[in-house]
Amino acid sequence: MSLLENKIGIVFGVANKRSIAWAIAQAWKKAGATLAFTYQGDRLKENVEELAGTFGPETLILPCDVTKDDDIARVFSEVGAKFGRLDLALHSVAFAPKDALEGEFVNTSREAFRVAHDVSAYSLVAIARAAAPLMTQGGSIVAMTYYGSEKVVPHYNVMGVAKAALEASTRYLAYDLGPKRIRVNCISAGPVNTLAARGISGFSEMLKHYEAHSPLKRNVLPEELGATGTFLASDGAAAITGQVIYVDAGYQIMGM
Ligand code: NAP
């Protein structure tokens, strides 16, 4: 039997074929899961329909701006109506205004701070709260984070602070939802060349830095994030919750 056979999952954050969400969705699908996808706004509708459409007619594709409670409520109501339950949720969504990812952190505006935390951290809480009633047989919620949450990575700025909030939220959610056998974990990925990553100034330097300084002397591959996402979704990770798992070619252990 495949690892995720008979599992129903929802994926937030596919923008295009380079998205980390797409790598994990492909791995979940390959492991036997049936999936729903959300996209933000009409700009991405065609992209997501083209990609997710290849998963077959049972795939649900819905619009959702994660800053809108009504959107989140509608998505989970449609998932409930179609599948009756849910086992897996992937949160692969982040945003901060571009100027907040360029200059100095000290200049972060109140509004940029608010937006970054709303989209990139609070949304996990809102999604977990809406998903939980459908996870009647337990479940696994996975969120994407980055090392800039714990160490200063130049230019990552307010996004690092939002990722710290995301990781702390993961721990509190894991505690609240544990009695319902719902696990909540983060994957901390090394840099991957995606649309969101290209918004961080100096991103190509990050790729080179990891290649030069990580123990494995390379960058992480999207399919490796897919494999970890599948593990966390599977019963193999049944006793793992509230954790940040580093999938970064070992970079996180380095002191120099
Ligand atoms: P991506 O393909 O650009 O995915 C980011 C997604 O977030 C996009 O689909 C984006 O949609 C969506 N999003 C932004 N604001 C939203 C909102 N209000 N409502 C709904 N969706 C919204 O980039 P990615 O690199 O795969 O990022 C996925 C996750 O991985 C993020 O949490 C990111 O921080 C994390 N991560 C990335 C790396 C990396 O190096 N790439 C490393 C570690 C962690 P729009 O395009 O419409 O904004």
Side-chain angles (χ1 to χ4, degrees):
M1 185 170 131
S2 305
L3 223 45
L4 303 181
E5 205 157 300
N6 300 324
K7 302 275 190 201
I8 311 288
I10 184 163
V11 174
F12 291 82
V14 175
N16 57 40
K17 65 176 177 3
R18 285 174 182 265
S19 296
I20 291 172
W22 180 237
I24 295 178
Q26 283 177 290
W28 280 4
K29 171 74 179 168
K30 205 168 162 199
T34 299
L35 298 179
F37 290 85
T38 70
Y39 59 88
Q40 185 201 194
D42 282 341
R43 192 171 45 87
L44 292 182
K45 185 169 191 259
E46 232 172 85
N47 270 3
V48 178
E49 279 178 349
E50 198 180 315
L51 291 170
T54 61
F55 281 15
E58 74 281 11
T59 308
L60 199 56
I61 304 171
L62 302 164
C64 183
D65 178 339
V66 298
T67 64
K68 297 192 174 136
D69 288 333
D70 290 351
D71 279 18
I72 293 175
R74 188 181 27 76
V75 160
F76 284 96
S77 142
E78 290 199 34
V79 167
K82 180 157 173 108
F83 300 114
R85 59 166 238 278
L86 187 67
D87 306 290
L88 316 173
L90 174 65
H91 177 286
S92 189
V93 167
F95 176 78
K98 191 157 173 46
D99 55 352
L101 300 173
E102 284 170 350
E104 294 181 344
F105 173 70
V106 70
N107 291 324
T108 307
S109 68
R110 191 182 297 274
E111 181 58 8
F113 193 98
R114 186 194 66 73
V115 169
H117 282 72
D118 191 8
V119 177
S120 318
Y122 180 74
S123 57
L124 178 68
V125 182
I127 286 170
R129 187 168 58 243
L134 289 173
M135 292 184 161
T136 48
Q137 299 169 21
S140 174
I141 299 174
V142 178
M144 295 307 306
T145 189
Y146 177 62
Y147 184 57
S149 62
E150 60 185 275
K151 297 286 179 188
V152 173
V153 174
H155 309 301
Y156 202 62
N157 293 1
V158 71
M159 189 53 79
V161 182
K163 290 300 191 192
L166 179 79
E167 292 172 18
S169 301
T170 297
R171 292 185 280 273
Y172 280 92
L173 289 168
Y175 175 71
D176 283 354
L177 301 178
K180 296 183 170 135
R181 289 195 300 126
I182 298 170
R183 300 180 291 104
V184 191
N185 292 289
C186 281
I187 295 175
S188 185
V192 179
N193 195 356
T194 64
L195 204 59
R198 284 197 293 269
I200 302 160
S201 101
F203 176 73
S204 51
E205 292 309 309
M206 273 167 84
L207 286 173
K208 286 187 204 144
H209 186 82
Y210 271 65
E211 211 173 295
H213 298 289
S214 67
L216 297 179
K217 299 283 176 258
R218 64 174 179 85
N219 280 290
V220 64
L221 301 171
E223 53 268 33
E224 293 168 332
L225 298 171
T228 307
T230 303
F231 166 65
L232 284 174
S234 75
D235 290 345
I240 299 176
T241 194
Q243 300 299 315
V244 177
I245 312 277
Y246 292 87
V247 185
D248 63 350
Y251 185 83
Q252 189 263 348
I253 66 167
M254 299 305 295
M256 200 179 146

